[in-house]
Amino acid sequence: MQNNLPWDDKTAERFEGYLGLLEHFNRAMNLIGPMEGDQIVDQLLLDSATAAAVAAPRVSVEESGEQPAGILDVGSGAGLPGIPLKILFPEVPLTMVEPRKKRTTFLKIVVERLALPDVEIARCRLEDFEEGRYDYVISKAFRAPVTWLELAAERVAADGTIICMTRPGERAELSERAQALGLELVKGCDNSTELGAPSLGEARAIYAFNVLS
């Protein structure tokens, strides 16, 4: 794995297991559309992991001894990008919000089969999800980028990070809206292929926003 992302034999085993589950259950449940093999790896798994190459979740325990609130993945679908991030950072708590029963059933199977610790699956819409704020708030394709930034701003902790996964060319608009929301663009990649994530489809831009101090 490139870009200094954590990688060991257990990580590789879990990614292989997740890929196998996606391929197997997709045939019966149509979780990700007509995709197999290299397409899933390049367009879904590596794309999700690339978010952490731009800005990784916080893994250290706070001075109080409490674990950070962790990752919030909204509109997880088949577990993207939440599951790849959890595989890379198993010590970070993960909450996935997904309203569709078929997909939450699949997520439960993935969590059990891969033995992923400290994962919550909330079968509901974001507006019905009443939990608190999170250190790392992310979504792959939940809403239009500016709308996502507005919704995520209501869920991010005071010292947390919002990840916006979008297409190149939207940096200026997002930066302007971020300032109005009390956020600042701290890191960004206007084309994720520059970070070593191959793409068989459209280029992906990834931006990380923090709350203004």
Side-chain angles (χ1 to χ4, degrees):
M1 180 66 70
Q2 300 180 22
N3 302 301
N4 298 317
L5 293 177
W7 192 263
D8 56 23
D9 290 343
K10 185 65 175 180
T11 303
E13 179 183 335
R14 280 174 164 163
F15 267 111
E16 290 173 2
Y18 183 41
L19 174 60
L21 290 170
L22 280 171
E23 290 182 303
H24 176 75
F25 283 93
N26 189 49
R27 297 185 186 104
M29 303 171 71
N30 190 29
L31 297 166
I32 54 176
M35 302 177 68
E36 292 189 12
D38 290 344
Q39 285 182 307
I40 296 175
V41 172
D42 290 346
Q43 295 186 32
L44 301 181
L45 302 188
L46 287 177
D47 182 59
S48 297
T50 301
V54 174
R58 183 171 51 166
V59 299
S60 60
V61 176
E62 297 175 347
E63 292 183 1
S64 63
E66 296 181 358
Q67 177 72 30
I71 300 167
L72 176 66
D73 176 20
V74 179
S76 300
L80 302 154
I83 295 296
L85 292 173
K86 182 65 177 178
I87 291 173
L88 288 168
F89 303 96
E91 66 272 46
V92 179
L94 168 65
T95 298
M96 294 181 285
V97 177
E98 170 54 51
R100 293 165 290 186
K101 181 179 180 180
K102 180 168 63 175
R103 284 161 175 77
T104 55
T105 297
F106 173 72
L107 293 176
K108 291 175 183 177
I109 292 171
V110 171
V111 170
E112 179 180 354
R113 297 275 182 90
L114 301 186
L116 297 175
D118 205 356
V119 177
E120 176 185 356
I121 301 168
R123 186 188 159 200
C124 63
R125 300 178 302 171
L126 180 62
E127 50 266 42
D128 298 323
F129 182 66
E130 299 181 353
E131 296 297 325
R133 293 178 177 264
Y134 292 78
D135 298 291
Y136 194 87
V137 183
I138 191 168
S139 176
K140 187 173 177 68
F142 177 65
R143 290 286 189 273
V146 170
T147 303
W148 164 243
L149 202 60
E150 294 168 351
L151 293 170
E154 300 175 357
R155 300 288 178 168
V156 69
D159 54 353
T161 298
I162 296 171
I163 300 295
C164 186
M165 305 176 73
T166 182
R167 298 183 180 89
E170 299 187 352
R171 179 190 288 258
E173 181 182 8
L174 287 168
S175 295
E176 181 179 354
R177 185 61 187 136
Q179 289 184 353
L181 293 168
L183 306 170
E184 62 178 338
L185 176 64
V186 291
K187 294 182 182 178
C189 178
D190 291 311
N191 192 331
S192 62
T193 58
E194 298 171 3
L195 292 173
S199 176
L200 300 179
E202 295 181 347
R204 171 76 80 182
I206 300 176
Y207 304 116
F209 298 86
N210 285 0
V211 179
L212 285 167
S213 56

